[in-house]
């Protein structure tokens, strides 16, 4: 286990409170039933102001790097299945079953292939299992800034998201110092290069701490918090194993079984910030990956049709806005990072 001093005190307090399980969730439900009361505290107002400043810093950074903001599709016949077992919301769309976007990955590939560098500020819905309510970083409804560029490598995408986060932290430190003071948040220094470790290195680090982790799977949620607590600055985990992520993360042609992808992880126990990758974009390869991940290719008609016509190779990432806000503000749990949060399994307006 890492020294507890490396875990931010509000994360440590949340971990402690969440041990009460359903008692914690009942109290949360009571609190969230009055969103007008929650939102008028000085603390909540500070959080939402930091979030607004961060969002405009994100737009400023991406716009100045040649990305254009597109309006995000919300409904479609299929959506991202690579969401670690969370459920999708299906609605009746004039007799067709349509999904509410769990992520707009398929549309990102279409858009970046056509337009070059694009992003969405994209609302997503994922019916996470109820136990996700106790991780402090899952919401059933959230917003991610979903970025994609054609012809980019995953190394270039990592440089991009690193630059983005550094910019956001600098702007927030400069423009939101009063809010950070109200929140008692002393943001860690993010100016040095972010360390990059491979997934297999991350797994051996966890194992050497006596934490169960598997070479063939994503890092488990609790392992991710422990790793995150070992670092003082954000860091990357790269090169996840084939089968552990969405079908669209590209397998390295030179290293079969290894994906050209990454997660960016916040330090201090805050956990995952962003996921990104180079994409599979060739029809035959995507078809094989879809089948291997248990998806029905029939449902992906428009997408496979697009790949059969041919698209450009693209790469990108998605960064969660509420998790970013949680890190910037030093919040115990992500529900504090939005008005009327939807915490998995918790009834709230
Ligand atoms: N689609 C991914 C997600 O939502 C992000 C990405 O790879 O761009 O986690
Ligand atoms: Mg992810």
């Amino acid at each position: 286990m890492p020294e507890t001093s490396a875990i931010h005190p509000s994360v440590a307090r949340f971990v402690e409170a969440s041990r009460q399980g359903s008692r914690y969730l009942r109290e949360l439900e009571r609190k969230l039933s009055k969103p007008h009361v929650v939102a008028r505290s000085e603390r909540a107002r500070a959080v939402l102001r930091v979030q607004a400043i961060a969002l405009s810093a994100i737009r400023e950074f991406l716009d100045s790097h040649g990305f254009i903001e597109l309006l995000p599709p919300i409904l479609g016949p299929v959506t991202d299945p690579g969401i670690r077992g969370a459920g999708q919301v299906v609605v009746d769309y004039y007799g067709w079953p349509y999904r509410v976007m769990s992520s707009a990955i398929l549309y990102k590939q279409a858009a970046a292939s056509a337009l070059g560098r694009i992003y969405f500020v994209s609302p997503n819905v994922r019916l996470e299992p109820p136990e996700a309510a106790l991780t402090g970083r899952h919401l059933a409804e959230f917003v991610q800034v979903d970025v994609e560029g054609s012809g980019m490598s995953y190394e270039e995408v990592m440089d991009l998201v690193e630059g983005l986060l550094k910019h956001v932290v600098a702007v927030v430190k400069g423009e939101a110092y009063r809010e950070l003071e109200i929140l008692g948040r002393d943001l860690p220094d993010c100016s040095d290069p972010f360390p990059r470790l491979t997934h297999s290195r991350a797994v051996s680090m966890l194992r050497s701490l006596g934490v169960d982790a598997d070479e063939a799977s994503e890092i488990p949620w609790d392992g991710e918090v422990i790793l995150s607590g070992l670092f003082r600055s954000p860091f990357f985990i790269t090169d996840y194993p084939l089968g552990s992520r969405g079908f669209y993360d590209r397998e390295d042609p030179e290293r079969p079984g290894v994906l050209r992808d990454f997660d960016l992880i916040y330090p201090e126990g805050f956990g995952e910030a962003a996921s990104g990758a180079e994409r599979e974009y060739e029809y035959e390869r995507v078809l094989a990956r879809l089948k291997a991940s248990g998806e029905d290719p029939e449902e992906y008609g428009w997408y496979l049709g697009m790949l059969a016509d041919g698209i450009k190779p693209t790469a990108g990432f998605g960064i969660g806005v509420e998790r970013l806000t949680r890190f910037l503000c030093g919040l115990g749990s992500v529900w504090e990072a939005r008005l009327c949060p939807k915490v998995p399994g918790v009834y709230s307006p």
Side-chain angles (χ1 to χ4, degrees):
M1 290 289 286
E3 308 156 44
T4 40
S5 61
I7 301 260
H8 189 274
S10 66
V11 175
R13 274 196 301 277
F14 174 80
V15 169
E16 202 44 50
S18 69
R19 289 214 174 94
Q20 302 172 353
S22 56
R23 213 174 98 206
Y24 165 79
L25 293 176
R26 274 200 311 274
E27 260 168 47
L28 183 59
E29 200 163 289
R30 248 198 314 278
K31 191 179 287 185
L32 297 185
S33 71
K34 292 183 183 294
H36 54 295
V37 175
V38 176
R40 73 180 171 224
S41 74
E42 190 186 30
R43 186 179 162 79
R45 289 205 313 250
V47 169
L48 296 175
R49 276 200 304 268
V50 169
Q51 185 171 76
I53 289 168
L55 256 180
S56 81
I58 289 174
R59 286 190 160 107
E60 177 183 270
F61 181 91
L62 291 173
D63 295 348
S64 72
H65 283 73
F67 287 80
I68 75 163
E69 179 173 359
L70 302 178
L71 300 179
I74 307 291
L75 295 173
V78 274
T79 184
D80 182 357
I83 51 175
R84 291 182 93 152
Q88 300 177 349
V89 171
V90 183
V91 295
D92 181 347
Y93 182 76
Y94 303 96
W96 291 287
Y98 263 43
R99 267 83 182 170
V100 180
M101 282 305 114
S102 52
S103 96
I105 178 72
L106 309 179
Y107 295 113
K108 278 207 303 188
Q109 280 182 274
S113 173
L115 298 165
R117 295 184 157 212
I118 62 94
Y119 68 100
F120 301 127
V121 177
S122 185
N124 292 165
V125 175
R126 301 180 183 182
L127 299 178
E128 301 284 355
E131 56 272 23
L134 298 173
T135 65
R137 57 184 199 287
H138 288 90
L139 290 172
E141 175 185 84
F142 67 98
V143 172
Q144 68 173 320
V145 179
D146 227 342
V147 181
E148 197 81 4
S150 73
M152 294 181 82
S153 68
Y154 77 139
E155 289 92 352
E156 287 168 331
V157 173
M158 283 191 271
D159 292 343
L160 182 77
V161 68
E162 179 169 339
L164 173 75
L165 186 54
K166 285 178 164 150
H167 177 70
V168 170
V169 167
V171 169
V172 164
K173 278 183 177 174
E175 288 182 22
Y177 62 92
R178 270 190 221 96
E179 285 77 10
L180 296 182
E181 220 169 80
I182 290 168
L183 296 163
R185 176 60 164 146
D186 185 12
L187 265 168
D189 181 31
C190 294
S191 55
D192 284 339
F194 297 172
R196 298 180 182 191
L197 54 142
T198 61
H199 174 270
S200 74
R201 170 99 182 87
V203 167
S204 23
M205 277 173 79
L206 281 172
R207 285 193 182 148
S208 71
L209 294 166
V211 181
D212 204 22
D214 180 3
E215 286 277 359
S217 317
E218 273 206 289
I219 309 286
W221 288 337
D222 50 345
E224 193 182 283
V225 174
I226 291 169
L227 266 185
S228 157
L230 295 173
F231 284 79
R232 300 261 173 206
S233 94
F235 63 99
F236 290 98
I237 301 176
T238 70
D239 300 10
Y240 282 77
L242 180 67
S244 70
R245 307 268 279 200
F247 70 87
Y248 43 80
D249 284 11
R250 181 165 178 247
E251 185 178 11
D252 194 323
E254 320 265 278
R255 296 176 298 161
V258 177
L259 302 174
R260 295 178 64 80
D261 65 1
F262 65 87
D263 268 3
L264 174 63
I265 313 286
Y266 295 120
E268 303 176 296
F270 289 103
E272 181 183 334
S275 298
E278 286 173 28
R279 314 300 179 188
E280 297 286 4
Y281 65 99
E282 291 147 314
Y283 176 85
E284 288 298 337
R285 290 198 51 84
V286 171
L287 189 61
R289 290 284 299 278
L290 270 175
K291 286 182 181 159
S293 62
E295 291 299 306
D296 178 4
E298 289 274 301
E299 293 183 359
Y300 291 79
W302 80 265
Y303 178 68
L304 288 170
M306 168 178 82
L307 301 186
D309 289 344
I311 62 165
K312 292 186 186 145
T314 67
F317 68 90
I319 182 164
V321 176
E322 294 87 348
R323 288 179 176 182
L324 171 64
T325 309
R326 179 184 178 223
F327 168 68
L328 293 171
C329 297
L331 309 175
S333 173
V334 75
W335 72 258
E336 284 193 76
R338 68 180 295 159
L339 189 70
C340 301
K342 301 300 178 293
V343 178
V346 173
Y347 181 86
S348 62

